[in-house]
Amino acid sequence: MELKIDTHHHIVPPDYAKWLDSRGITAGGLPIPVWSAEGSLDLMESQGTSCSILSVSTPGVHLGNDQEARAQAREVNEYAASVIRTYPGKFGFFATLTLPDVEGAIAEAAYAFDKLGADGVILLANVGGRYLGEAAFEPLMEELNRRSSVVFIHPSELPCEPVEGIPPYVADFLLDTTRAAINIAKAGWLERYPNISFVLSHGGGFLPFAAQRIARAVSDGGPDDVGIERLRKFYFDTALASSPFALAALLEFAKPERVFFGSDWPYAPKARSMNFLSLLENYAMDDATRRRIYRENAAQLFKKKSRLKRQIDVKNPRTGTVDYRIARLSETDFDTVCQELRSGQKTWSKAGLEARVKVLLQWADAIEVNANLIGSAEALDTGRQRLSHEVPHMVVGSIRDWCAKAPHIFASAQRTGTSVINANVVFETQLVPYGLVGFITPWNHPFLLSMIDAIPALLAGCAAVIKPSEIAPRFIEPVMETVRQFPELAAVLRYVAGDGATGQALIQRVDAVCFTGSIKTGRLVAEACARRLIPAFLELGGKDPAIVTEHADLERAATSVLRGSVFAMGQICFSVERVYVHESVYDDFVALLAGKSQALELAYPDPAHGDLGPFILASQAAIVDSHIDDAVSQGAKVVTGGRSENLGGGHYMRATVISDVTHDMKLMTDETFGPVTPVMKYRTEDEAVALANDSVYGLSAAVFAGSEEEAMRIGQQIDAGAVALQDAAITIYILRDAEKCLSNHLELAGLAWALTRCCVLSFAKLW
């Protein structure tokens, strides 16, 4: 099913519904429906909709009193904006205005655009019998034209009594839209306000069917063709207008780039909306036209005018196709999110550690219950099945473990005593959390790495705003669904979708930053934090070496090195990326490693069967290929495996072993981040250690030797944050059990702070 943008998707704020109910008002003869964001998202998932533009339907907010209308418009617009902040990337909104109160409408439009980030405005075809096109409304049109606004025109009840037994929505709505369109065209608005995009709902009412008849009335005395071309300047949506009868007229009349998809939910209940979608799906049209209607037309229109210009395409790593989209927050929305988090943090911090532990343990239970949903979302992000479904349980274990350790950690950090200089002075320290900590996290382990530092920060009493990679954002929504179950936590924990610009904006709004990612970006983050004089905690990757001595158990070493090299397709910072083997056992080791590598299978076409999934990022496959090509061009030999393969649109690579490598090759010096194991000979122990240390990286390392003593002797000479003995890539298993810091002289990569006691205390200032 093609992804869609739904431009006709209503919102019914609860207080607005109560207000209408107190007046005994319906919507064109229909009862005011109960609305929820969850209901909207459910329909969107069923219809393949990535973003819906929310709007308040008839009767709007003006029931005769200007001041009341202004208050109601502000309330419903702020409610819509809050929904968008809660579900970033899923919704936009058309602002509700106060016509026929022109002055109030202009003021509310300015507020909605400038403060709330509205995507356009919704105007009723008529209010109290006064139709769009009326000269008195032109000051508002001038303002909307200046702002290049989208104006969504929705019908209301006709300014006359309905025919008994025929509710207004059945036919009167279509006539109302048609009347407004004629009046707008006759008034010359389509030419006088060329920057406004007027969208007619429900397929334009009767306009496409009766266009030839209407044309004469809007041709200014000229030929009918003049009127037809004028009317074709409107945009149209397909809400409740996708029957073969209506579509035939609409698509024959409208310009192909001016038709949008619309559901009319919730006034059209899910079953009815799905029925009209089925009619649209089954209507004969070429693929290009269908893509235009479903998404491309709206994306093209809105990208210059509104929130949708901030939309980011997300590709499925298994297919290479765009099947998901996110949207960057506007500056205003980001400010609001951070203000809300700072406000929530004050209560969170004052609640005390015991209360925070209680909430986080309850959240861990909720993650466990929803582990399958979260794992399935991350599986789409990464292309990995088994590992993705293990991650939620890893996070649960992390939360429970931190909650168990935190009381002792914080208690032991407190200090009281008497001055050694002046016995009359006593002191007592306190731990004061940073108010708002920002986390910029990578695509290779989306959920786990977004939580690895956020959990201790939350325990310390901080609020957390997390910007995951735009490459793998699908996990955000199911995770946030669990967060929203606990208001105390939702007040201090938010994910914000976006790209590098969002990360830059985050740095300007927080009190400390944790970043995991590339060296290039890490430097920029460090520089930006330094300019603001705020702490930056950086983990910038690795190029982990493994040493295999002549006395090592080669079977064990080959198995461990292979696992450490291809686990998660080698897309982890502590992957084994270079192997040094004593020359006396070199050939035997390479043969063993190649044989084990050849036994591994690609998880294609069935993601549930096989060992190696796709590259998460297609450009990463190109980087790995370039490293292989560079090595081969300088004399290296591909023993097994080789360059990446495009299978079904995804980029895969078989476990690759490369021999005869040197440190002149990128494969041995630059981070490769793929399932490639380059193996190099060494002669002496000193040479092996020198080669292992010949790197600007220093995250982890591994040593395989004939005895623990031999392995320990060599391991103690390696400049790395953690060294595994007789195994490889096991750093993840000691995350909360042992200190792991960089050697001071290393230039680039590794953890900038410890992962145990020091980590949780890093998020609090000792006063």
Side-chain angles (χ1 to χ4, degrees), residues 452-491:
I452 198 168
D453 302 312
I455 295 166
L458 289 166
L459 280 166
C462 308
V465 56
I466 305 171
K467 204 294 286 185
S469 170
E470 67 274 21
I471 304 302
R474 296 170 183 83
F475 78 99
I476 296 174
E477 187 49 41
V479 170
M480 283 305 300
E481 283 295 327
T482 65
V483 172
R484 285 188 283 267
Q485 295 178 30
F486 308 98
E488 309 97 322
L489 184 60

Side-chain angles (χ1 to χ4, degrees), residues 481-661:
E481 283 295 327
T482 65
V483 172
R484 285 188 283 267
Q485 295 178 30
F486 308 98
E488 309 97 322
L489 184 60
V492 292
L493 174 59
R494 291 286 293 274
Y495 283 88
V496 292
D499 56 7
T502 308
Q504 294 172 24
L506 179 147
I507 294 170
Q508 301 307 312
R509 289 166 168 80
V510 299
D511 305 315
V513 174
C514 291
F515 172 81
T516 303
S518 72
I519 292 167
K520 178 181 178 181
T521 305
R523 278 191 171 126
L524 296 174
V525 170
E527 291 167 2
C529 290
R531 283 192 291 271
R532 292 197 60 226
L533 299 178
I534 62 173
F537 306 110
L538 311 175
E539 196 277 280
L540 305 180
K543 187 71 179 176
D544 286 9
I547 294 175
V548 181
T549 74
E550 60 187 312
H551 309 111
D553 179 337
L554 297 188
E555 177 70 27
R556 177 190 180 97
T559 299
S560 299
V561 164
L562 177 60
R563 185 191 69 245
S565 180
V566 305
F567 176 73
M569 274 292 282
Q571 298 171 118
I572 48 175
C573 57
F574 53 86
S575 174
V576 174
E577 293 216 354
R578 49 197 175 106
V579 185
Y580 304 100
V581 181
H582 191 271
E583 60 182 359
S584 65
V585 294
Y586 180 83
D587 291 341
D588 290 341
F589 178 83
V590 169
L592 268 174
L593 183 63
K596 292 177 181 293
S597 298
Q598 290 166 359
L600 299 182
E601 298 179 354
L602 299 181
Y604 179 85
D606 184 354
H609 294 87
D611 306 294
L612 301 173
F615 282 99
I616 298 171
L617 188 59
S619 60
Q620 188 59 40
I623 291 172
V624 179
D625 284 344
S626 71
H627 284 197
I628 294 173
D629 292 345
D630 173 72
V632 170
S633 71
Q634 297 187 66
K637 176 184 176 184
V638 177
V639 182
T640 189
R643 301 180 92 256
S644 64
E645 307 171 44
N646 189 316
L647 300 173
H651 294 268
Y652 295 78
M653 180 175 282
R654 300 179 188 278
T656 297
V657 177
I658 299 183
S659 64
D660 301 331
V661 292

Side-chain angles (χ1 to χ4, degrees), residues 95 279 431 522 644:
L279 293 172
L431 293 170
S644 64

Side-chain angles (χ1 to χ4, degrees), residues 222-488:
D224 290 355
D225 288 351
V226 173
I228 291 292
E229 285 309 305
R230 175 172 283 176
L231 294 172
R232 295 184 81 209
K233 293 179 179 179
F234 284 108
Y235 292 81
F236 305 83
D237 74 45
T238 65
L240 304 183
S242 54
S243 72
F245 322 112
L247 272 179
L250 175 60
L251 298 182
E252 183 66 27
F253 171 73
K255 293 183 179 180
E257 70 274 12
R258 296 194 173 215
V259 182
F260 309 140
F261 171 73
S263 69
D264 210 351
W265 192 85
Y267 291 91
K270 182 176 181 179
R272 185 163 174 77
S273 185
M274 292 299 294
N275 179 58
F276 272 93
L277 174 59
S278 177
L279 293 172
L280 184 57
E281 290 275 322
N282 292 321
Y283 188 83
M285 67 178 79
D286 61 75
D287 291 342
T289 299
R290 193 176 300 280
R291 286 195 301 271
R292 288 194 187 115
I293 293 172
Y294 283 171
R295 178 168 194 90
E296 290 175 2
N297 289 343
Q300 181 66 28
L301 175 66
F302 283 101
K303 76 178 182 179
K304 297 179 180 178
K305 298 177 181 285
S306 69
R307 186 181 316 276
L308 292 188
K309 70 185 178 182
R310 298 188 292 274
Q311 289 253 318
I312 301 169
D313 290 345
V314 182
K315 291 185 177 181
N316 185 314
R318 300 194 68 85
T319 65
T321 59
V322 174
D323 63 1
Y324 196 78
R325 286 174 173 85
I326 58 174
R328 307 175 192 90
L329 285 180
S330 68
E331 292 287 316
T332 301
D333 285 345
F334 211 155
D335 285 340
T336 301
V337 166
C338 292
Q339 289 166 6
E340 291 173 349
L341 289 170
R342 288 188 182 278
S343 177
Q345 185 272 335
K346 295 176 182 178
T347 303
W348 180 251
S349 178
K350 289 179 181 178
L353 180 59
E354 184 177 350
R356 296 194 292 271
V357 165
K358 180 179 178 181
V359 172
L360 288 171
L361 288 175
Q362 290 173 337
W363 183 42
D365 293 341
I367 294 173
E368 198 164 49
V369 169
N370 292 275
N372 188 56
L373 287 174
I374 297 170
S376 295
E378 179 158 313
L380 292 173
D381 279 332
T382 64
R384 304 189 292 243
Q385 289 294 311
R386 180 181 57 81
L387 182 57
S388 294
H389 282 86
E390 291 174 354
V391 165
H393 300 286
M394 295 180 189
V395 173
V396 168
S398 180
I399 294 172
R400 290 172 178 165
D401 192 44
W402 274 122
C403 286
K405 291 178 176 178
H408 172 72
I409 291 173
F410 283 107
S412 64
Q414 303 287 348
R415 293 288 183 268
T416 60
T418 302
S419 168
V420 297
I421 299 173
N422 186 334
N424 294 318
V425 176
V426 296
F427 65 88
E428 179 179 342
T429 63
Q430 60 176 330
L431 293 170
V432 180
Y434 289 101
L436 179 59
V437 182
F439 302 85
I440 303 173
T441 59
W443 46 262
N444 59 316
H445 243 311
F447 184 29
L448 180 64
L449 293 183
S450 75
M451 284 287 108
I452 198 168
D453 302 312
I455 295 166
L458 289 166
L459 280 166
C462 308
V465 56
I466 305 171
K467 204 294 286 185
S469 170
E470 67 274 21
I471 304 302
R474 296 170 183 83
F475 78 99
I476 296 174
E477 187 49 41
V479 170
M480 283 305 300
E481 283 295 327
T482 65
V483 172
R484 285 188 283 267
Q485 295 178 30
F486 308 98
E488 309 97 322

